[in-house]
Amino acid sequence: MHINREQMKTIHQAALQILNKTGLRIDCPDFYGPLEDRGAKIDRNTGSVRFPEELVEEVIAQVKKEISDG
């Protein structure tokens, strides 16, 4: 199955929304401080981490750069 560019954009936007609104459960309290410093919202009771869209895009850009420089 081939995913076209428009479908990829739709998937990407949905993933950004899930990461921002629902978040991910991260069971490593050592990560909470650094993530908060980068703008993530942490619910320490549940371990849920919500990621702002800008942070996700920034990390994706960093990884792309590392891959292309690698």
Side-chain angles (χ1 to χ4, degrees):
M1 180 175 145
H2 177 72
I3 297 175
N4 67 37
R5 187 173 291 275
E6 198 56 42
Q7 291 169 319
M8 186 62 76
K9 286 181 184 179
T10 300
I11 293 168
H12 180 73
Q13 287 302 317
L16 289 174
Q17 185 174 14
I18 290 167
L19 289 169
N20 188 302
K21 304 252 186 229
T22 304
L24 294 175
R25 183 173 171 198
I26 298 179
D27 291 325
C28 186
D30 292 343
F31 288 177
Y32 297 164
L35 286 169
E36 281 179 321
D37 291 346
R38 301 285 303 272
K41 305 295 182 207
I42 315 292
D43 182 336
R44 284 178 164 72
N45 293 323
T46 64
S48 176
V49 180
R50 294 184 302 134
F51 298 86
E53 189 172 314
E54 302 81 26
L55 174 57
V56 176
E57 294 290 7
E58 179 184 316
V59 171
I60 290 170
Q62 285 176 319
V63 170
K64 283 181 178 179
K65 183 175 180 340
E66 288 176 18
I67 290 169
S68 67
D69 290 348

